[in-house]
Amino acid sequence: MRSDEIKEGISKAPHRALLYSTGITKSSIKRPFIGIASSFSDLVPGHVGLRDLERQIEKGIHTGGGQSFIFGIPAVCDGISMGHSGMKYSLPSRDLIADCIETVAQAHQLDGLVLLTNCDKITPGAIMAALRLNIPSIVVTGGPMDDGYCEGHHLTFIKGSFEAIGKLQSGEINEEQLHKMEENCCPSIGSCQGLYTANTLAVLTETMGLSLEGCASAPATSAKKKRIAFESGVKIVELVQKQILPNQIITKESLQNAIIMDLALGGSTNSILHLLAIANTANINITLNDFDKLSYKIPQIIKLDPSSNLTMHDFEKAGGVSGAIKTLYGKTPYFNNTTNIEGKKISDIASNSYVDNSVIHPFDKPLTTNPGLAILYGNISEKGSVVKISGVDKEALVFKGKAICFNCEEDAVNAITNNTVKEGHVVVIRYEGPQGGPGMREMLSPTSLIVGKGLGAKVALITDGRFSGGTRGLCIGHICPEASNDGIIAYIQDGDDIEIDIPNRTLNLIVNDSILAKRRQNKPAKPDKKINGYLKKYAQTVKTAACGAVTTD
């Protein structure tokens, strides 16, 4: 065992002395040392309940014959950090989390890990750490919160808060109604109710095989979630004994399954960044082209909030990830028969699972032949950009409008709030990319205001930043090259024509090449962003969105 490095032999007497000081016994010190990397936090709704799951995992590890050690990792709530400078830290926290887990596991020579996560950057960061370390690992995601209700209306976090602000400003509701909605749209602990980034990553983690079956959609408040946590603790000891490693589970085939699941369910656009980062960490050749090619072959079999009124609780009742696997496997040759950490093959899961086809539609009778996500190319996004098709109204799939440009999110929000943004505009938000932001902020505030004002199909938004999984409307993100890397988006001017053609996967600026060449000669000055500390380090090392915005080695 790896942990023998800190506990075997005469020379390790000091190490054992310190271990004994933690309260473990002579018999326990001989067991496999299992780290529980926990992102518990009283500050983040998706993580408040993780303390109970820590206890369940501990019980499982000790039942299985291991010795557990809990250590903490950072957790950022994207909802609370949204719309201000705090969002600059959200995406960078993913790589920081991977660094933290790697550091603790290597420094103490842990034999295995249970990665207790729940929200947007924590789950992919934990997977990246597991792949770097390549020691037996299991991910336990904390589960979605309960649905909200207010005076007879079904609510979710996005519709009861961000979009409600737009409704208030358009006169659809009053301030008293807004406050009632905000108080009741998040009624319990857990990740936000829809297929936003947190739940998308939980689904993809289970699809790839790093979580136990049923983990992704089991509600945060359920006994089922506690049982899965306990069983994960038992299972990790077995994985250590058998040396089942993350790089045996995360393969090109299982990553392709995750891409297909993402396209079929219409998950968060952020998932593309994270799957690319996971592939990069595992040295697996996955690029935006893989998403692009598969996007023509995979229809959408379900729509969840924010694209419909269905939530993760409805997905759970309809069969969850296993039900979706049953719907996909064997219907497309691209969905591979991989094996998960339980030793279950995809074919076994498909044959033994329940699915409600009134919620998760059959593969040959999908909701739409369009996939949930698509990659757009063109002169604005030569290296790619991402759109969540499932959140776009049919009449807006092809759109031509006039650019209205902003060099930061705050200026765009002010313009939308003050009704400067009108029907037919293409809102351009730039210098918000991985390097230029830095940190590639999510744009949930402007997109929700646009939808809340009833302009979701009448105004487009393009950015080198990114979007929340809760975003809907004609919103295109991850534009690469970003403005700070001399991308065309830096040279767009107010009034320029922009054409968006989602069926043909194009995003183009309709400006003569000679005019663009002149604009390049008179290069606009970059916004003066005074950054220091972690963000400065991040900006100096981060790669492009097309590479998953990973930091360099």
Side-chain angles (χ1 to χ4, degrees):
M1 291 189 295
R2 273 167 46 102
S3 60
D4 288 347
E5 285 289 327
I6 62 170
K7 62 187 183 184
E8 287 293 321
I10 297 298
S11 64
K12 298 302 188 295
H15 306 67
R16 290 192 295 272
L18 291 168
L19 288 167
Y20 285 137
S21 78
T22 68
I24 69 171
T25 64
K26 286 186 178 181
S27 59
S28 296
I29 207 169
K30 296 175 183 178
R31 297 180 172 195
F33 280 10
I34 310 297
I36 303 173
S38 173
S39 56
F40 165 77
S41 169
D42 281 330
L43 187 58
V44 183
H47 299 244
V48 173
L50 298 189
R51 188 111 296 172
D52 286 342
L53 298 185
E54 289 173 2
R55 300 283 85 81
Q56 293 296 319
I57 294 167
E58 277 187 315
K59 292 176 185 177
I61 290 170
H62 295 157
T63 299
Q67 172 62 46
S68 66
F69 298 92
I70 299 173
F71 63 93
I73 54 176
V76 170
C77 178
D78 279 21
I80 296 173
S81 63
M82 191 73 65
H84 57 87
S85 60
M87 177 49 72
K88 293 177 183 289
Y89 287 87
S90 176
L91 182 60
S93 75
R94 182 193 66 190
D95 293 59
L96 179 63
I97 287 159
D99 291 347
C100 289
I101 295 171
E102 176 191 353
T103 297
V104 173
Q106 288 286 56
H108 302 93
Q109 291 295 289
L110 299 176
D111 297 305
L113 288 169
V114 179
L115 304 162
L116 181 56
T117 76
N118 207 25
C119 287
D120 303 48
K121 312 309 160 303
I122 298 93
T123 299
I127 295 172
M128 290 163 66
L131 288 164
R132 288 186 199 173
L133 293 160
N134 204 31
I135 61 175
S137 303
I138 289 179
V139 179
V140 178
T141 48
M145 69 170 60
D146 297 337
D147 293 355
Y149 294 92
C150 182
E151 298 183 345
H153 295 286
H154 177 258
L155 292 177
T156 59
F157 167 57
I158 301 300
K159 291 172 182 173
S161 59
F162 280 99
E163 290 183 9
I165 296 170
K167 289 183 177 180
L168 173 68
Q169 293 175 347
S170 66
E172 188 175 338
I173 62 173
N174 60 36
E175 193 169 336
E176 182 182 354
Q177 289 172 306
L178 171 68
H179 292 317
K180 285 181 180 178
M181 292 169 74
E182 73 185 39
E183 194 172 346
N184 290 284
C185 66
C186 297
S188 76
I189 60 170
S191 53
C192 301
Q193 302 99 332
L195 195 61
Y196 315 153
T197 308
N199 291 323
T200 299
L201 265 294
V203 166
L204 302 188
T205 301
E206 184 179 332
T207 302
M208 289 186 287
L210 269 183
S211 291
L212 298 191
E213 186 179 359
C215 184
S217 57
T221 56
S222 67
K224 179 180 177 180
K225 180 62 73 177
K226 291 181 179 179
R227 290 194 294 270
I228 287 171
F230 176 84
E231 290 163 359
S232 297
V234 175
K235 178 60 69 172
I236 189 62
V237 182
E238 180 187 331
L239 296 187
V240 169
Q241 292 164 346
K242 293 181 177 179
Q243 282 299 287
I244 306 298
L245 306 176
N247 68 3
Q248 296 169 295
I249 305 298
I250 304 297
T251 61
K252 180 142 190 171
E253 291 73 23
S254 66
L255 274 166
Q256 182 166 297
N257 286 353
I259 294 171
I260 291 169
M261 184 66 74
D262 207 8
L263 295 168
L265 302 189
S268 163
T269 52
N270 285 318
S271 60
I272 295 177
L273 275 179
H274 299 319
L275 288 176
L276 289 171
I278 288 166
N280 184 290
T281 305
N283 294 314
I284 296 170
N285 184 25
I286 295 283
T287 69
L288 280 175
N289 288 334
D290 293 281
F291 290 86
D292 185 40
K293 290 173 185 176
L294 287 168
S295 74
Y296 290 97
K297 300 176 173 70
I298 307 301
Q300 190 170 2
I301 58 175
I302 190 173
K303 281 193 177 188
L304 297 173
D305 182 80
S307 301
S308 80
N309 290 322
L310 296 176
T311 66
M312 286 297 291
H313 286 266
D314 298 299
F315 183 57
E316 162 77 359
K317 293 172 187 174
V321 174
S322 298
I325 287 173
K326 185 180 185 74
T327 303
L328 294 169
Y329 181 70
K331 311 302 190 304
T332 168
Y334 305 101
F335 205 84
N336 300 291
N337 195 21
T338 55
T339 304
N340 72 4
I341 50 171
E342 297 177 85
K344 294 181 180 179
K345 298 190 79 65
I346 287 288
S347 55
D348 298 327
I349 295 171
S351 62
N352 296 316
S353 297
Y354 162 79
V355 61
D356 180 350
N357 283 137
S358 68
V359 178
I360 302 173
H361 290 241
F363 191 84
D364 57 354
K365 295 180 181 178
L367 278 171
T368 171
T369 54
N370 284 324
L373 302 167
I375 311 301
L376 307 186
Y377 292 95
N379 62 2
I380 296 178
S381 55
E382 295 173 281
K383 295 185 179 179
S385 58
V386 179
V387 63
K388 185 171 182 173
I389 300 179
S390 59
V392 180
D393 290 343
K394 289 181 180 179
E395 62 266 31
L397 291 173
V398 177
F399 188 93
K400 183 176 180 179
K402 298 288 185 182
I404 179 169
C405 302
F406 306 96
N407 288 343
C408 68
E409 179 189 5
E410 288 84 353
D411 289 350
V413 168
N414 288 335
I416 298 165
T417 301
N418 297 329
N419 297 316
T420 305
V421 172
K422 308 286 187 183
E423 181 178 335
H425 271 146
V426 178
V427 177
V428 179
I429 305 179
R430 57 198 174 196
Y431 297 103
E432 291 284 9
Q435 183 186 89
M440 204 178 182
R441 287 196 287 178
E442 290 183 346
M443 303 291 165
L444 184 56
S445 293
T447 58
S448 296
L449 282 172
I450 288 169
V451 170
K453 284 175 174 286
L455 297 172
K458 301 170 184 175
V459 168
L461 191 154
I462 69 172
T463 180
D464 52 11
R466 59 194 178 91
F467 297 115
S468 162
T471 289
R472 62 189 176 115
L474 184 49
C475 306
I476 299 165
H478 306 197
I479 287 175
C480 192
E482 62 176 286
S484 285
N485 286 338
D486 204 39
I488 290 290
I489 190 173
Y491 300 99
I492 300 174
Q493 294 183 1
D494 289 350
D496 285 347
D497 286 321
I498 293 175
E499 284 188 348
I500 300 164
D501 188 338
I502 293 175
N504 289 308
R505 308 292 197 267
T506 58
L507 172 63
N508 284 302
L509 176 66
I510 312 303
V511 169
N512 188 281
D513 288 344
S514 62
I515 294 174
L516 274 177
K518 289 180 181 177
R519 290 183 186 177
R520 283 188 181 276
Q521 288 175 353
N522 301 301
K523 191 171 183 176
K526 293 182 182 180
D528 183 18
K529 298 188 177 183
K530 295 177 173 61
I531 56 170
N532 52 36
Y534 179 55
L535 286 182
K536 186 174 183 179
K537 295 175 187 175
Y538 181 82
Q540 291 170 342
T541 59
V542 70
K543 293 183 180 179
T544 68
C547 297
V550 293
T551 49
T552 54
D553 296 331

